[in-house]
Amino acid sequence: MGSNMEGNWDMLKQAAAEKPIVIKGTGTYKSTFPVDHITGKVLIRGAASDNEVLLEQSSGKYTGIKLMRGLWEEPTGHSSGTFFPVAAPAGVGVLWGSAGHCLMPASVQQKWRCGYGTDVLPSSLSTRPVPRAIVDLGWLTAGRNVSELAEHIPSQPSQRIGEAEVLPDFGFMVTKAPEGGPMQLFIPSARKLVDGDAVCVLGFAHRLTAEWAKRFLRTEADYEQAANEAELLGHQLPAPADWRLDENLALRRVLDLEDDVCYPSRLVVSPGLVAGASQRIIEHTCSTFPGMSGGPGVDVQTPWQLMFVHTRADADFRRNNYGYSVHHPLFVNAYEREVLPRLLATSSDLLSKEMMRCLHGYLDAHKDQLSDQSVLHQVEKRC
């Protein structure tokens, strides 16, 4: 959920940080778990589903996922999204991937500050705006018919890519290298997800608001009840897509979840399943919250293998979320041109042979799309 919700709610208490998220009334068990800032392991108490058991068994493999970063707005502390490192060429800085809508215009970027590490708290924020450069992906559309790019998020067929939005919702940003030790880079995987695959989304959630709850904590039963009441009163109820919970009910629903719902400023791992997959779009059941847009969708057992970039939540009653697959043709094009040169200039200390074999497999799977297939040989030499 990438939109920044307005509100002045205090951050929810972290005393219950070991409890999973449970959105009651949705008919679906949804959970997210914090990453311990000391051990780096995922904190799970009482796994309640098969994919949570799988995550619990793989928890130790998340110890390297420490130097992801969330961007936090001053002075409210609202997160603008989640960024994950994809390359770190020596002397150049770090290249981060995210959702495109999390990349703010340069004029706005000066109002944002960066925090590093597992705990993104005010004390860890930089004391000055951190220089950053947004990678311009406008070249992707050169010579292309916009209709070729117009595969949309399934739940909103009216929002097809048009004149105002001709790129999928992913992007890259360059910043100076963070302090605090080695980081875990994310490498795209050749594996193609299918329905039922276990995946996780990693990200930094921020505080919840009544406005968010009015939209995302409503259920079909809520709408049916409101429709019956409206019929008795002779009122016309808005269409389901436009209808929102009563503010008092939304507030009570969030308060009911106060001990279970959110870990502000913490890196969290949300396990779930693939609910639908194409070459371009991944539909998933991982719990996501405001601030988690741009988070990497990864394999549960190999969390550095990137499967998709989470971009938005479904505000409809289907309760699933969506991301862009690493097999999206435009992602492949952007990865070859913007990421690969920087990744090949990255120290081997950050790139294990297993990671390079994964990268080789990904590039080989898309070799017909590569503009320069010699990169396969360059990567192979480092496998």
Side-chain angles (χ1 to χ4, degrees):
M1 302 175 185
S3 60
N4 293 322
M5 298 296 182
E6 296 297 328
N8 57 3
W9 287 27
D10 292 330
M11 284 188 176
L12 299 177
K13 299 176 182 178
Q14 296 195 29
E18 295 182 352
K19 293 186 177 181
I21 290 176
V22 182
I23 298 183
K24 300 165 185 172
T26 65
T28 304
Y29 184 91
K30 294 203 170 187
S31 58
T32 196
F33 303 95
V35 176
D36 183 82
H37 67 283
I38 297 176
T39 67
K41 292 186 177 182
V42 184
L43 295 175
I44 299 181
R45 299 294 184 271
S49 64
D50 290 343
N51 56 314
E52 289 168 19
V53 171
L54 185 61
L55 174 59
E56 189 171 34
Q57 294 170 347
S58 307
S59 175
K61 299 177 181 179
Y62 287 75
T63 55
I65 313 295
K66 285 188 176 181
L67 285 177
M68 286 178 58
R69 183 183 60 201
L71 294 186
W72 288 71
E73 185 179 15
E74 296 284 352
T76 64
H78 283 214
S79 168
S80 70
T82 297
F83 290 70
F84 56 95
V86 292
V92 177
V94 177
L95 183 67
W96 307 83
S98 188
H101 68 265
C102 295
L103 300 173
M104 309 293 287
S107 60
V108 179
Q109 282 289 326
Q110 296 303 311
K111 300 178 182 178
W112 297 75
R113 302 180 187 276
C114 299
Y116 299 107
T118 305
D119 283 326
V120 184
L121 301 171
S123 60
S124 69
L125 292 171
S126 60
T127 57
R128 69 181 76 180
V130 176
R132 58 182 62 80
I134 306 303
V135 176
D136 182 10
L137 299 183
W139 56 268
L140 278 174
T141 61
R144 293 177 182 267
N145 185 329
V146 172
S147 64
E148 296 176 358
L149 314 180
E151 181 166 336
H152 53 271
I153 297 298
S155 66
Q156 294 196 353
S158 63
Q159 295 188 0
R160 295 182 66 88
I161 296 173
E163 294 180 359
E165 182 186 4
V166 294
L167 290 175
D169 196 6
F170 58 78
F172 305 102
M173 178 178 74
V174 181
T175 73
K176 70 176 185 179
E179 300 175 357
M183 67 178 64
Q184 173 67 65
L185 299 181
F186 290 78
I187 304 294
S189 172
R191 175 185 164 199
K192 293 187 177 180
L193 295 172
V194 297
D195 291 11
D197 279 348
V199 291
C200 286
V201 170
L202 287 73
F204 294 92
H206 68 65
R207 69 191 66 175
L208 304 182
T209 68
E211 284 301 311
W212 173 83
K214 285 164 64 175
R215 185 180 182 193
F216 289 99
L217 292 185
R218 61 203 179 100
T219 68
E220 287 179 300
D222 293 326
Y223 184 77
E224 290 174 5
Q225 180 178 344
N228 290 335
E229 293 173 354
E231 184 177 3
L232 290 174
L233 296 173
H235 296 165
Q236 182 70 33
L237 200 65
D242 301 320
W243 178 79
R244 300 290 182 264
L245 280 178
D246 171 78
E247 184 160 354
N248 290 329
L249 176 58
L251 180 59
R252 290 199 303 273
R253 194 155 286 178
V254 170
L255 292 177
D256 285 342
L257 305 174
E258 191 173 48
D259 290 334
D260 301 314
V261 69
C262 196
Y263 308 101
S265 80
R266 297 287 296 274
L267 175 60
V268 297
V269 180
S270 294
L273 300 174
V274 173
S278 71
Q279 183 185 23
R280 303 185 180 199
I281 303 297
I282 302 297
E283 182 177 352
H284 64 88
T285 66
C286 303
S287 297
T288 58
F289 294 89
M292 292 181 69
S293 281
V298 301
D299 177 79
V300 176
Q301 296 178 289
T302 317
W304 51 265
Q305 289 193 10
L306 181 66
M307 302 294 182
F308 60 90
V309 179
H310 169 67
T311 57
R312 63 171 296 274
D314 189 356
D316 204 347
F317 297 127
R318 295 173 64 185
R319 297 295 175 194
N320 290 334
N321 301 311
Y322 299 94
Y324 280 96
S325 170
V326 295
H327 300 297
H328 192 299
L330 297 188
F331 186 95
V332 176
N333 293 159
Y335 193 88
E336 180 192 9
R337 176 165 168 169
E338 305 295 350
V339 181
L340 200 52
R342 293 176 170 93
L343 188 65
L344 292 174
T346 297
S347 168
S348 296
D349 293 340
L350 295 177
L351 293 167
S352 68
K353 290 188 179 298
E354 183 184 10
M355 294 169 71
M356 295 306 293
R357 287 193 292 269
C358 177
L359 176 62
H360 186 273
Y362 174 75
L363 295 174
D364 187 61
H366 297 286
K367 59 185 177 183
D368 291 342
Q369 288 180 246
L370 300 178
S371 61
D372 179 10
Q373 294 192 6
S374 68
V375 295
L376 276 168
H377 180 62
Q378 297 178 53
V379 172
E380 188 176 18
K381 289 194 299 183
R382 296 181 61 174
C383 289

